[in-house]
């Protein structure tokens, strides 16, 4: 079975994670590193994808600064989203030629990872046609947003594990006005540790992508 | 100066992305007239929640943008042209 590198970074600012992703993306393109998954949570940040409508940021910029929320433009697909502590973020840096040259399949696979994690907690989450991400009823539990160049991926998925849902009040998630966010812990009525969610996500990722994730640190060229 | 040489025009094509019927051109990263290297990122298209980078097929000058930002295109469609020989001298 194909081995991939699984790197847990803990809590990382968005900019820092983006810098790491870009380096990994370039190295993966040159074949210098294996397929790698970054697992982390972000400090509070609102990101604008390529199709972002700035009107979907509801909060006053001064208020965001006061709250310590960063505002960042990202090259991933999609509209506006929020990341914050208690949300599990996976950034797979994969050469999709090793699986399938299909962005649709890849998004399906990322959604599948999140559906399996939710299911392992006894939560029935699913897809909503036309609205990528995963949903528990009409509430959004997880998001996807990816970037592909030369079939090498960046960005990925964000699963709401145990985060303060107030963060989503700053924005219109994905530009969908009726979309309210939920989390595994809200649905279960108990706290869920990010570590627990991550280990289940690693297992789900292994199953969906048919790989053996090996935990390790960042490749030397990136860590420096 | 001499005779005008044929300017070879190379197509910038949206590649097959796998079961995607339509993409939206979200941004052109180069302007008409810019020199581009083969493999250089020239445009970004979006499908579903994916940004996909379109690279220049050859080295040359961006000659034409056929599908501007905000418009849609289908995989296989030509969205721009690169002139392989910049000057027709």
């Amino acid at each position: 079975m194909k081995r991939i590198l699984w790197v847990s970074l803990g809590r990382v600012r968005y900019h820092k994670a983006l810098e790491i992703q870009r380096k990994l993306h370039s190295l993966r393109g040159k074949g210098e590193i294996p397929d790698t998954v970054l697992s982390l949570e972000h400090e509070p940040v609102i990101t604008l994808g390529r199709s972002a409508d700035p009107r979907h940021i509801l909060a006053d910029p001064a208020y965001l600064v006061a709250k310590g929320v960063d505002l960042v433009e990202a090259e991933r697909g999609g509209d506006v989203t929020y990341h914050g502590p208690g949300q599990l973020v996976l950034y797979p840096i994969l050469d999709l030629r090793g699986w399938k040259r299909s962005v649709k399949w890849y998004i399906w696979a990322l959604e599948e990872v999140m559906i399996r994690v939710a299911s392992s907690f006894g939560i029935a989450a699913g897809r909503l046609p036309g609205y990528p991400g995963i949903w528990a009823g009409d509430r959004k539990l997880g998001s996807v947003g990816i970037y592909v160049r030369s079939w090498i991926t960046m960005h990925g998925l964000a699963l709401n594990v145990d985060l303060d849902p107030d963060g989503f009040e700053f924005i219109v998630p994905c530009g969908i006005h009726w979309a309210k966010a939920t989390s595994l812990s809200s649905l279960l009525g108990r706290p869920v540790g990010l570590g627990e969610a991550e280990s289940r996500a690693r297992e789900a990722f292994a199953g969906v992508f048919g790989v053996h994730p090996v935990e390790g640190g960042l490749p030397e060229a990136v860590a420096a | 100066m001499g005779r005008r040489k044929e300017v070879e025009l190379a197509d910038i094509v949206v590649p097959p992305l796998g079961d995607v019927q339509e993409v939206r051109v979200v941004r052109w990263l180069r302007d008409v007239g810019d020199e581009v290297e083969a493999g250089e990122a020239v445009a970004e298209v979006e499908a579903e929640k994916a940004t996909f980078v379109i690279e220049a097929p050859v080295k040359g000058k961006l000659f034409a943008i056929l599908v501007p930002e905000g418009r849609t295109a289908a995989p296989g469609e030509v969205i721009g042209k690169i002139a392989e020989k910049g000057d027709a001298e």
Side-chain angles (χ1 to χ4, degrees):
Chain A
M1 192 176 283
K2 192 193 301 199
R3 284 162 175 259
I4 62 158
L5 179 61
W6 187 280
V7 185
S8 299
L9 292 176
R11 194 178 294 186
V12 191
R13 287 194 89 90
Y14 193 83
H15 276 117
K16 181 70 190 163
L18 191 56
E19 194 185 308
I20 294 170
Q21 284 193 79
R22 284 180 178 151
K23 286 182 184 169
L24 291 172
H25 187 272
S26 159
L27 291 168
R28 186 71 196 94
K30 294 178 200 154
E32 291 176 15
I33 59 165
D35 292 306
T36 300
V37 176
L38 298 178
S39 171
L40 55 96
E41 63 181 337
H42 280 306
E43 298 286 0
V45 62
I46 291 171
T47 68
L48 294 92
R50 277 293 185 254
S51 308
D53 181 342
R55 287 172 301 183
H56 292 151
I57 299 171
L58 303 174
D60 187 282
Y63 178 73
L64 295 176
V65 172
K67 283 271 188 181
V69 181
D70 289 339
L71 196 58
V72 181
E73 202 177 305
E75 64 265 81
R76 63 167 171 79
D79 200 311
V80 175
T81 197
Y82 169 79
H83 299 295
Q87 186 188 52
L88 177 68
V89 171
L90 298 186
Y91 291 142
I93 314 294
L94 310 180
D95 185 341
L96 283 184
R97 288 169 293 195
W99 285 271
K100 212 172 168 182
R101 291 187 195 209
S102 167
V103 294
K104 206 161 186 173
W105 172 81
Y106 183 53
I107 283 173
W108 176 91
L110 293 180
E111 289 169 340
E112 191 64 20
V113 169
M114 294 192 284
I115 288 168
R116 289 193 190 184
V117 173
S119 165
S120 78
F121 284 99
I123 294 166
R127 298 178 181 85
L128 215 50
Y131 300 98
I134 69 156
W135 302 78
D138 62 353
R139 298 208 159 221
K140 195 154 192 199
L141 184 58
S143 312
V144 290
I146 65 166
Y147 174 89
V148 186
R149 178 169 180 187
S150 307
W151 292 109
I152 316 280
T153 63
M154 259 177 67
H155 297 279
L157 66 82
L159 179 66
N160 301 335
V161 176
D162 195 350
L163 84 170
D164 183 358
D166 282 357
F168 285 98
E169 301 299 324
F170 300 141
I171 59 164
V172 179
C174 309
I176 309 168
H177 287 273
W178 48 263
K180 292 273 179 224
T182 189
S183 65
L184 294 176
S185 69
S186 316
L187 294 166
L188 292 170
R190 68 167 174 90
V192 178
L194 204 73
E196 187 186 1
E198 188 197 349
S199 69
R200 295 187 191 209
R202 196 168 52 233
E203 202 172 304
F205 194 94
V208 171
F209 286 85
V211 292
H212 177 59
V214 178
E215 287 179 74
L218 284 173
E220 223 167 272
V222 176
Chain B
M1 293 283 122
R3 278 180 303 149
R4 283 178 73 87
K5 276 186 207 159
E6 285 277 314
V7 175
E8 297 277 341
L9 289 183
D11 293 339
I12 302 172
V13 179
V14 178
L17 301 177
D19 312 317
V20 172
Q21 312 302 324
E22 191 180 79
V23 300
R24 203 163 56 83
V25 176
V26 283
R27 60 169 71 174
W28 277 95
L29 304 168
R30 291 287 173 268
D31 291 320
V32 169
D34 286 356
E35 298 284 351
V36 296
E37 295 294 325
E40 187 177 329
V42 288
E44 289 176 356
V45 300
E46 189 178 290
E48 311 250 334
K49 292 274 181 165
T51 301
F52 194 93
V53 177
I54 308 291
E55 296 172 345
V58 295
K59 177 186 163 76
K61 206 174 253 190
L62 185 56
F63 180 77
I65 287 174
L66 303 178
V67 181
E69 290 178 4
R71 296 271 294 279
T72 57
E77 195 172 327
V78 178
I79 59 168
K81 298 266 189 187
I82 292 175
E84 288 192 61
K85 294 193 177 77
D87 308 299
E89 289 184 285

